[in-house]
Amino acid sequence: MGLLQWIGKPFGLLSGPWRAYYGTETTSGETVTYDKAMQLDAVWACVNLIANSIKTLPCLVYKDDGVTVDRESQLYELLHDMPNIDDTAADFWAMVAMCLCLDGNFFAEKKMRSGSISSLIPFDPLCVEVCRDERNARYYEVTERVNGRGKGGKRKISAENMLHIRGALLPGCDRGLSPISVERNVIGNALSGEKASGRMFKNGLLGTTLLSSDQILKPEQRKQISDTLTQFAGAEKAGGGYNPGSRIDAPLTEHQSQRCADAGE
């Protein structure tokens, strides 16, 4: 619920949601975001494996002895079956795992009814700011979304009414570390490498011929040569032959003419 609304936002190592919107550059020059990172097969495989593995595990509530499952508990149906009206327990806990793998934090508001928790409503992690008041008490400032898009107003939620699951922590930090952000340089290098290889396959020249001229070529002649060589550029054109319909009007050198004669051309 709401995952696709936030995976495209860039972030910083320890930044809250506001600094996260502006992005963080890497040594490769790539701006790493969650959705870009997920396009790497290694990242997707790891995150998907962890999320789907957690998805298969039931969340049980135990009695005080720590052994007997308490199916009569008010939290059993909530955590084991359906945390809210939109998500099954399997989807909810898979979402928790994915948020921890990407952002290092998971937030869900505890909706109360008759003094008991009736549902858990997950939030976009980058729309939640962890704050402290003058008494150093923790609270959460949530930026609401309007119809799933844009920004609405801010809402303050007390620590008692927020389920905050954190990943790895540094001393004095209220937010967990984002694994993707910590490894942003490695991921940026991988993204940059894939981009470079993609451009090579798309535009790379796969010919075996070297053209040279001892005369100054006119602009239209240089353009004609460039257009002709384009026929051999790109992975889709690899192994193709020269198109006889294209002529190169640039005069050949004596050495090139002799090579053509020796080849019977």
Side-chain angles (χ1 to χ4, degrees):
M1 178 180 177
L3 177 62
L4 296 179
Q5 299 171 3
W6 62 270
I7 61 174
K9 297 181 179 61
F11 46 85
L13 179 62
L14 294 173
S15 63
W18 301 124
R19 284 173 290 173
Y21 281 106
Y22 298 101
T24 299
E25 292 294 333
T26 61
T27 54
S28 65
E30 291 287 329
T31 299
V32 178
T33 63
Y34 296 139
D35 61 339
K36 284 185 179 180
M38 294 278 277
Q39 292 173 14
L40 294 173
D41 53 355
V43 175
W44 168 254
C46 293
V47 173
N48 194 48
L49 175 63
I50 294 173
N52 285 334
S53 298
I54 296 298
K55 190 174 185 176
T56 62
L57 302 175
C59 183
L60 302 177
V61 178
Y62 293 90
K63 295 183 177 180
D64 293 338
D65 59 10
V67 177
T68 307
V69 177
D70 189 0
R71 291 182 172 82
E72 303 300 323
S73 171
Q74 296 178 341
L75 294 176
Y76 183 85
E77 182 179 356
L78 183 73
L79 300 178
H80 183 269
D81 298 330
M82 184 170 287
N84 58 67
I85 195 172
D86 294 320
D87 304 307
T88 64
D91 292 335
F92 183 87
W93 294 112
M95 192 186 307
V96 172
M98 183 169 287
C99 288
L100 292 176
C101 287
L102 297 177
D103 186 78
N105 296 272
F106 176 79
F107 302 94
E109 183 180 8
K110 304 173 186 177
K111 292 293 185 179
M112 310 298 292
R113 184 175 59 188
S114 301
S116 300
I117 303 176
S118 60
S119 63
L120 293 171
I121 308 300
F123 287 120
D124 172 343
L126 294 181
C127 283
V128 180
E129 182 75 51
V130 185
C131 306
R132 295 275 183 173
D133 60 19
E134 61 278 0
R135 297 183 178 180
N136 202 36
R138 185 187 303 166
Y139 70 93
Y140 300 86
E141 195 171 74
V142 179
T143 301
E144 301 282 10
R145 290 187 175 272
V146 179
N147 296 327
R149 296 178 298 178
K151 300 177 183 177
K154 295 183 180 180
R155 185 160 60 93
K156 181 178 177 180
I157 300 177
S158 63
E160 310 82 71
N161 293 326
M162 180 72 81
L163 172 64
H164 181 192
I165 302 176
R166 300 180 291 181
L169 284 170
L170 288 178
C173 295
D174 290 322
R175 294 182 69 97
L177 292 175
S178 166
I180 298 298
S181 181
V182 171
E183 298 297 327
R184 64 190 182 278
N185 282 325
V186 175
I187 296 173
N189 291 339
L191 290 172
S192 183
E194 286 205 352
K195 184 183 291 185
S197 62
R199 287 176 177 173
M200 182 189 69
F201 284 118
K202 181 180 180 181
N203 302 315
L205 178 63
L206 302 178
T208 58
T209 302
L210 174 64
L211 298 180
S212 64
S213 175
D214 58 357
Q215 301 182 26
I216 299 176
L217 301 180
K218 298 179 180 180
E220 56 270 18
Q221 290 176 314
R222 291 196 297 268
K223 183 178 184 304
Q224 189 176 23
I225 293 175
S226 177
D227 293 342
T228 302
L229 292 178
T230 303
Q231 299 179 43
F232 304 97
E236 294 181 355
K237 301 175 184 177
Y242 174 69
N243 183 1
S246 299
R247 291 181 64 245
I248 301 179
D249 292 333
L252 298 176
T253 65
E254 180 180 350
H255 177 65
Q256 291 170 328
S257 299
Q258 185 61 43
R259 287 183 60 190
C260 292
D262 295 340
E265 300 178 358

